[in-house]
Amino acid sequence: MPKVKINDKEVEVKDGTLILDAAKEAGYIVPTFCYQADLSSLGSCRMCLVEIKGQRKLQPACITPVLDDMSVETNNETVSSARSAMLEFLLSNHAFDCPVCDKAGECELQDMVHKHGPHKGRHAEPKHSFHNKDYALNAVIVKNSNRCVQCQRCVRVCEEVVGRGVLGSIGRGHIQEETSFLRTYLDCDHDGMCIEVCPVGCFMRRPYRFKARPWDLKSTKTVCPYCATGCRMTIQERDGEVVRSIAMPEDGFNGKMMCARGRFGYDFLNSKGRLTTPLIKNKDGVHEPISWDKAIDIIKTRFARTAPEKIGAVASARLTNEALYLMQKLMRDVVGSGNIDSSSRWNHSVVEGFVQATEIPKGGTSIYDAMDSDAIFVLGTHVSDENPVTDYVIRNLAAANRKSVFVATPRAMKLDSSAQMVFRYKPGRLAAMLGAIVGKFQETRGDKLSSVKGLSPTLSKDLEELSKASGISLDDIATLVTRLNISEKITLMAGTELLRGGDGIKGLGLLRDTLRALGKEVLVMPILDRSNQRGAWDMGINPVFGPGYAPVEGKWKGTEEMLEAALDGDFDVLYVLGEDIQSMFPDRSFATMALSKLDFLVVQAAYMNETAKMADLILPGGSFAEKHGNYTNQEGRVQAITKLMEPPGDGKTDLDIIWLIGSALDSSFGPNLPREVFKEIQSKVDMYSEVEPTGFISADTGEEPVYKFDFKEALVGSGSVELLDVEAKDAEIKIGTDGDHPFMLLTGNHLFHSGVMSMQSELLKGLLGKPIIEMSALDAKELDMNIGDLVTVRGNGFEADFVLRIKEGTPRGVIFMPENYQEIAVNKFYERKTGIPGVNVTAQRG
Amino acid sequence: MLSDKAKKEIEEIHGRYHSRRSATMAAMQIVQAEGGHLTEADMREIAEIVGVNPVQVQEVGAFYSMYNVERPVGKYHVQVCRNISCSLLGAEHIIETLEKKLNIKTGETTTDKLFTLTTAECLGSCGTAPMMQINDDYYEDLTDAKVGEIIGKLK
């Protein structure tokens, strides 16, 4: 390890360390513009010039690695004057319009000049002006190139992290401009990464334009409420209006990364559609306000007079751990019912298998540890659309560290371009593909696999059949098996495609155990699409397991069984927290019928939704910005959300409402402060006993902990409970295509959306535009359709109109439809028990 | 739309490079040789053929002075070097002379579409400054008289 002297301090660093990082270790910060840790090196801005003893010219610290015995000066007079001169050059063409620049007050150039000078420029030449007026690059980016310092962070981040590469450096020297192709409007991921990394006011947030100065803002550290990637972020408000959310590079595992939802979807907090008071349905079926006392009283009476087995609760996987824990405590300990579930989209039996296959009860896995594998196998998750930042991490780290990425999904996604191999298996046939992989291992190294539980000894005999069923050729399977064979450490990332119908759950477990039997280190990471899905499972929001995956006694119902019982007139009271069953249950008419048969439906929600419209009683719950608590992301990382403001009107937080109901029924219900509830969770749930949530103020010390990047103490531990004793089964996915309905309908989250919550954001709604479907170019050609055509999709007695998009990589016979539209209920195309519905598509000819 | 001939030529040169995108510059040259400059549609088409984003084609086009991105040029593209050596030896004067002779300003094209006058950074011929480049040829050690003679011959 080389020893280097930085100024007067000697440090020993790893081979290949940059002078910049060595200096940091020695306690000296070298100023930079173009350097950014997770991007490729450029060394163009020359801000980081340092003096290396024995070399005549100054060298850029951000691209020069240290050598043994090197002696570096970072702060002497030569270096300082070079820095000042570099800044003078940057300023020679700078617009100097700080008074009207959104960046003023948090501008790296401003700060740098303030610190390193010069305070007077000598350039008298006319400045080059790129344009007179700022121009918009899309709905979220507004651009002023006259302020650019040409660091090209925007260009690199777009290519290397986001994977789009729609920005370029046009021109040379002082007339170089970082912008889109001919400055045209961009149809990109709208994640604003270019804005986040811009050191000056060149790329700016359009929705935040002229709204505030940084010092006017009140901020709180929190976690993005959309998907389970769980990006840490700061949301900021001015005069009661949330005006922006920014990443927290100093503390979140996500660094500066955020997606369109996280960065621009905050405006749902300012939505006018918030529920502000409890509402009861009167005799005419109209909702009218009542007081909290009366509302709680009605619930108390209903709960008291109904048999526990006819009461149930469905809670959203976006509630905090505290609220979820208290909810199951209310149901199990006070009401005496174990009819609890956390999603209306997938059946609880599938969840149990998934939890087992992904080994969630064994504790958390940092995504950085997961990425430190030789091979990363992403299967059954359209991570580019559902968990954009997870996609960024995979792309960026896999390229930087030369890791192999394999992708197996039924439809195309952006990550495909970063993968060594892409397996486009037939929808609903992941199980067959995984069977073929395991079968191939069995064929070649079968002697080693005797310990693998549940492995059919003759799987290798069915190879051809499995390959045919999955649509993946035997050659491709063999290549993958060879590649996995030469990998020591393998990460399997599995997600929502497995949960939607249970396809491939057993196969995932088999693959995991097979690889382990061959002596490989295997990590399994679930990829989930709701912010606290993993937390909800950890808290026992499931009819089969309680907090910490402890098995529960008795036979209880999940969402689907509760609705079935309701349809039979055998279920009376349903308490729905934050979930919209009507919009999300994969069979709309069944859900509507069942819900209407209920005796009493209570819906607790922040916004009026389709389920709430049917409710007998509506309780106004709080959004994530109005409460304290914790979310557990897909890695098992527990992170705090903190309160920024009060719920509007008479609204209360979910935790408070549950507590009010609980204490009305039982005066010794327990604590209601989030941190005290968390303490109770820590004492009752083994996995959480040692956790130090990122950013959480503990009840004992009252102090915010000091944390660092990728803070491992925030990962949940392994519980004392063994893996669930359920047999993971690969569900046979029924595919509903026939001669009249030739297309398989796949659904999932749109890149800009997550469930229906994001539809409360005007901005994200605007990005979504008209409802679309995606189809392969060949199918479109056969049907004589073009991009942008208006088409009608029919199936299950329902029809709706969409704009056609052609997506490269979409297999034939498949169409994709985002599930997020308010105006079109996608679940109307679904019929229960049919995993993948068949539909037909016809063009509307004018 | 690229001509079939251009498309065929681009397809042929792909074999010379280890990755498709490496053919970007050569493809641009082929297209420009036909139309004199690169249009938005040209760049989009090239991008699709070599498998990059259009902006990456524009980047290359904007970086090298030999590409005329969205800038139609006359039959003769006159580029006068105005870097240090040439400037010291009278490039400014040469430019003025050309402007007068052609009756256009720098950056413009004559009405008969014969000449386009632009300036360029160092063309690497400092030893024979001042100099200019017309299409692919260098004209060196320029004087007023020499400029008049060259232009006269081309007219």
Side-chain angles (χ1 to χ4, degrees):
Chain A
M1 295 224 298
K3 272 194 197 129
V4 276
K5 204 171 144 204
I6 310 282
N7 301 336
D8 44 6
K9 221 165 159 187
E10 200 157 284
V11 282
E12 201 175 338
V13 290
K14 267 197 271 179
D15 252 344
T17 304
L18 299 170
I19 293 178
L20 185 78
D21 295 323
K24 204 169 169 190
E25 205 148 300
Y28 297 101
I29 300 294
V30 179
T32 54
F33 275 122
C34 69
Y35 172 79
Q36 176 133 348
D38 45 4
L39 300 180
S40 59
S41 310
L42 195 66
S44 74
C45 77
R46 319 309 278 182
M47 263 316 285
C48 66
L49 290 177
V50 292
E51 187 174 353
I52 301 170
K53 288 275 169 65
Q55 295 195 16
R56 280 173 55 206
K57 284 164 104 180
L58 300 181
Q59 299 297 332
C62 78
I63 50 168
T64 315
V66 294
L67 291 174
D68 202 21
D69 272 343
M70 209 181 230
S71 174
V72 181
E73 290 285 340
T74 70
N75 278 326
N76 66 13
E77 208 169 309
T78 323
V79 173
S80 300
S81 77
R83 240 168 235 171
S84 171
M86 257 27 257
L87 281 165
E88 196 178 347
F89 274 125
L90 287 179
L91 293 178
S92 71
N93 222 10
H94 187 74
F96 279 126
D97 55 353
C98 308
V100 294
C101 176
D102 275 336
K103 194 78 173 184
E106 51 183 2
C107 172
E108 289 179 36
L109 183 62
Q110 231 177 16
D111 295 348
M112 214 81 98
V113 173
H114 184 69
K115 202 166 168 191
H116 303 288
H119 299 290
K120 203 166 185 311
R122 288 168 293 178
H123 286 268
E125 290 77 13
K127 296 192 183 218
H128 176 76
S129 176
F130 290 92
H131 48 74
N132 290 325
K133 279 193 161 173
D134 299 2
Y135 60 93
L137 273 184
N138 60 25
V140 295
I141 307 169
V142 57
K143 179 108 177 42
N144 183 328
S145 300
N146 296 329
R147 298 172 185 153
C148 181
V149 292
Q150 292 147 348
C151 68
Q152 297 182 44
R153 281 192 210 168
C154 48
V155 176
R156 284 176 290 154
V157 87
C158 189
E159 167 102 37
E160 295 166 23
V161 176
V162 183
R164 280 282 176 225
V166 292
L167 295 174
S169 308
I170 309 300
R172 272 192 288 173
H174 73 294
I175 59 157
Q176 175 183 313
E177 183 184 17
E178 277 68 34
T179 187
S180 64
F181 179 56
L182 300 170
R183 291 192 192 163
T184 44
Y185 219 59
L186 285 174
D187 177 20
C188 63
D189 285 10
H190 291 75
D191 54 23
M193 282 303 300
C194 46
I195 303 171
E196 191 83 43
V197 297
C198 182
V200 292
C202 177
F203 280 86
M204 293 170 292
R205 293 155 189 268
R206 218 168 147 188
Y208 175 69
R209 195 159 158 75
F210 305 142
K211 281 260 172 84
R213 289 293 182 201
W215 56 84
D216 292 329
L217 299 169
K218 194 178 136 198
S219 313
T220 192
K221 293 174 173 183
T222 190
V223 179
C224 175
Y226 288 109
C227 78
T229 302
C231 296
R232 288 279 284 161
M233 64 181 196
T234 301
I235 47 173
Q236 303 181 311
E237 62 124 349
R238 187 186 185 189
D239 303 333
E241 187 196 348
V242 179
V243 290
R244 69 172 179 179
S245 59
I246 54 174
M248 287 191 295
E250 70 284 2
D251 140 351
F253 76 93
N254 51 306
K256 288 196 168 190
M257 290 179 274
M258 271 164 82
C259 71
R261 300 170 202 157
R263 196 166 276 128
F264 300 109
Y266 56 81
D267 67 328
F268 77 94
L269 293 166
N270 308 326
S271 162
K272 302 274 182 287
R274 286 292 296 268
L275 293 164
T276 52
T277 169
L279 298 167
I280 188 140
K281 199 183 241 175
N282 67 15
K283 277 184 230 104
D284 308 323
V286 179
H287 286 118
E288 54 187 39
I290 56 160
S291 72
W292 274 107
D293 288 348
K294 275 190 192 151
I296 299 293
D297 213 44
I298 293 168
I299 296 173
K300 184 182 162 186
T301 323
R302 286 287 182 161
F303 275 7
R305 77 167 194 225
T306 312
E309 62 273 14
K310 294 189 179 184
I311 304 176
V314 178
S316 155
R318 294 191 204 279
L319 300 182
T320 59
N321 285 331
E322 289 77 2
L324 290 162
Y325 174 81
L326 218 59
M327 193 285 273
Q328 65 83 33
K329 183 173 161 189
L330 163 72
M331 294 304 292
R332 291 196 170 112
D333 299 355
V334 180
V335 178
S337 163
N339 299 324
I340 307 171
D341 210 344
S342 71
S343 172
S344 28
R345 288 179 299 163
W346 32 68
N347 191 284
H348 72 87
S349 64
V350 171
V351 168
E352 288 138 25
F354 183 81
V355 163
Q356 194 186 44
T358 50
E359 303 185 318
I360 288 177
K362 281 197 174 172
T365 309
S366 154
I367 190 159
Y368 291 102
D369 291 343
M371 286 306 297
D372 193 25
S373 302
D374 307 316
I376 293 106
F377 191 6
V378 180
L379 55 141
T381 167
H382 293 98
V383 50
S384 305
D385 295 332
E386 300 208 310
N387 304 60
V389 173
T390 307
D391 163 278
Y392 299 170
V393 173
I394 299 173
R395 169 174 306 100
N396 192 13
L397 291 186
N401 306 326
R402 296 169 184 267
K403 305 292 187 190
S404 302
V405 177
F406 304 100
V407 166
T409 50
R411 56 186 173 89
M413 63 171 173
K414 200 176 60 184
L415 194 64
D416 289 353
S417 62
S418 301
Q420 264 69 35
M421 290 182 84
V422 177
F423 302 91
R424 197 101 306 141
Y425 62 83
K426 286 184 187 163
R429 297 292 177 260
L430 176 61
M433 180 187 158
L434 292 172
I437 297 170
V438 175
K440 190 75 195 172
F441 274 117
Q442 194 179 41
E443 188 184 82
T444 47
R445 303 180 69 179
D447 52 318
K448 298 233 167 69
L449 303 182
S450 53
S451 62
V452 179
K453 229 170 104 183
L455 176 62
S456 149
T458 58
L459 193 62
S460 58
K461 299 231 162 57
D462 306 330
L463 269 179
E464 208 146 311
E465 199 179 308
L466 289 166
S467 140
K468 212 171 151 201
S470 63
I472 306 294
S473 75
L474 274 177
D475 283 349
D476 282 354
I477 298 279
T479 315
L480 175 67
V481 164
T482 316
R483 298 293 294 268
L484 292 177
N485 251 331
I486 55 168
S487 309
E488 292 297 317
K489 188 177 164 191
I490 298 162
T491 293
L492 305 173
M493 294 187 176
T496 46
E497 287 300 321
L498 281 78
L499 283 160
R500 278 179 199 278
D503 175 31
I505 285 178
K506 184 183 176 194
L508 176 62
L510 279 181
L511 177 61
R512 176 196 73 199
D513 293 345
T514 301
L515 292 170
R516 284 205 183 124
L518 296 172
K520 319 231 171 259
E521 189 184 343
V522 182
L523 288 174
V524 192
M525 205 173 133
I527 305 291
L528 305 166
D529 65 348
R530 295 284 189 267
S531 51
N532 200 27
Q533 184 66 70
R534 184 160 177 163
W537 294 337
D538 287 354
M539 292 303 115
I541 310 301
N542 186 286
V544 171
F545 55 80
Y549 303 94
V552 294
E553 273 174 41
K555 196 159 165 47
W556 300 100
K557 297 182 174 71
T559 312
E560 190 169 356
E561 289 95 3
M562 288 189 246
L563 295 178
E564 268 169 3
L567 203 59
D568 296 340
D570 210 19
F571 206 79
D572 296 336
V573 177
L574 188 62
Y575 179 20
V576 180
L577 297 93
E579 184 71 23
D580 186 356
I581 299 177
Q582 278 248 72
S583 300
M584 283 300 164
F585 191 86
D587 184 338
R588 176 68 165 251
S589 58
F590 166 76
T592 314
M593 289 270 282
L595 290 171
S596 65
K597 288 271 179 76
L598 286 168
D599 221 20
F600 188 64
L601 174 64
V602 190
V603 173
Q604 181 172 316
Y607 303 92
M608 184 53 97
N609 63 37
E610 294 303 308
T611 312
K613 282 178 191 161
M614 297 180 70
D616 299 289
L617 183 64
I618 302 174
L619 305 172
S623 77
F624 84 110
E626 292 144 14
K627 55 197 173 195
H628 291 288
N630 282 305
Y631 281 158
T632 306
N633 77 355
Q634 61 195 14
E635 300 164 83
R637 195 187 293 274
V638 187
Q639 310 183 102
I641 60 168
T642 42
K643 182 165 156 179
L644 180 66
M645 48 208 205
E646 296 296 330
D650 239 359
K652 289 185 189 297
T653 69
D654 294 301
L655 189 73
D656 283 343
I657 301 171
I658 299 164
W659 185 82
L660 280 175
I661 299 171
S663 4
L665 290 162
D666 175 2
S667 54
S668 61
F669 187 55
N672 72 334
L673 284 177
R675 59 164 85 157
E676 280 163 15
V677 177
F678 190 69
K679 218 173 155 187
E680 186 174 323
I681 295 173
Q682 290 197 301
S683 70
K684 293 267 171 72
V685 186
D686 242 20
M687 297 167 76
Y688 281 70
S689 60
E690 305 273 310
V691 165
E692 283 181 51
T694 314
F696 191 69
I697 301 166
S698 98
D700 297 330
T701 61
E703 278 171 22
E704 211 175 315
V706 181
Y707 24 72
K708 48 187 190 292
F709 182 71
D710 192 19
F711 182 65
K712 299 264 186 353
E713 286 79 354
L715 293 169
V716 293
S718 58
S720 56
V721 179
E722 277 300 292
L723 286 186
L724 286 173
D725 188 23
V726 293
E727 197 198 339
K729 276 190 230 148
D730 279 333
E732 183 62 33
I733 305 289
K734 198 176 149 204
I735 293 173
T737 47
D738 57 35
D740 292 335
H741 302 93
F743 284 99
M744 289 187 254
L745 173 66
L746 295 183
T747 183
N749 284 303
H750 189 275
L751 173 61
F752 302 138
H753 286 272
S754 174
V756 284
M757 177 173 115
S758 51
M759 291 305 280
Q760 298 294 338
S761 159
E762 287 302 320
L763 225 153
L764 295 181
K765 214 162 124 181
L767 294 184
L768 187 62
K770 285 196 184 116
I772 55 119
I773 58 164
E774 287 173 1
M775 186 189 271
S776 72
L778 285 172
D779 281 333
K781 200 173 164 196
E782 199 171 284
L783 293 170
D784 194 18
M785 294 174 184
N786 293 308
I787 295 179
D789 279 1
L790 203 58
V791 298
T792 306
V793 178
R794 289 188 187 80
N796 196 28
F798 179 64
E799 63 171 70
D801 297 340
F802 296 86
V803 175
L804 183 74
R805 273 209 204 159
I806 289 167
K807 187 163 180 178
E808 209 183 318
T810 306
R812 294 205 66 176
V814 169
I815 64 164
F816 169 69
M817 185 186 288
E819 64 184 1
N820 317 89
Y821 301 112
Q822 269 176 330
E823 60 271 48
I824 296 172
V826 170
N827 60 351
K828 284 186 180 167
F829 287 110
Y830 277 78
E831 189 193 359
R832 221 154 52 95
K833 313 284 184 207
T834 304
I836 295 168
V839 292
N840 67 36
V841 183
T842 47
Q844 294 182 7
R845 308 269 178 224
Chain B
M1 273 291 278
L2 302 189
S3 71
D4 288 339
K5 185 171 155 264
K7 277 187 195 162
K8 207 176 142 227
E9 275 179 58
I10 295 173
E11 246 353 281
E12 276 167 15
I13 53 156
H14 269 311
R16 292 189 219 153
Y17 303 95
H18 86 287
S19 82
R20 267 189 103 72
R21 66 185 296 162
S22 303
T24 308
M25 292 183 70
M28 290 167 75
Q29 230 155 355
I30 291 170
V31 177
Q32 182 167 301
E34 280 195 345
H37 71 289
L38 295 159
T39 63
E40 175 178 349
D42 290 340
M43 289 187 282
R44 283 190 193 279
E45 243 178 294
I46 293 168
E48 191 162 334
I49 295 173
V50 300
V52 297
N53 278 312
V55 73
Q56 283 145 358
V57 176
Q58 194 201 345
E59 271 184 322
V60 173
F63 187 88
Y64 294 103
S65 56
M66 66 262 207
Y67 294 117
N68 303 314
V69 174
E70 289 230 296
R71 185 182 62 185
V73 291
K75 188 177 171 197
Y76 300 108
H77 184 193
V78 183
Q79 299 184 73
V80 188
C81 172
R82 53 152 213 197
N83 223 294
I84 295 175
S85 308
C86 289
S87 288
L88 287 173
L89 289 164
E92 295 292 308
H93 184 70
I94 299 291
I95 295 167
E96 265 171 44
T97 309
L98 279 162
E99 285 183 340
K100 253 184 246 158
K101 277 239 147 38
L102 299 170
N103 200 20
I104 50 170
K105 290 210 181 70
T106 307
E108 290 178 349
T109 303
T110 52
T111 43
D112 57 6
K113 300 265 162 40
L114 217 48
F115 292 97
T116 298
L117 176 64
T118 58
T119 57
E121 298 304 329
C122 185
L123 290 169
S125 190
C126 305
T128 56
M131 60 80 66
M132 66 180 173
Q133 181 182 351
I134 301 181
N135 293 349
D136 293 335
D137 299 316
Y138 274 16
Y139 295 85
E140 298 157 312
D141 295 317
L142 298 175
T143 57
D144 271 4
K146 216 166 167 185
V147 167
E149 197 183 315
I150 295 162
I151 297 297
K153 264 189 201 159
L154 293 175
K155 261 187 179 168

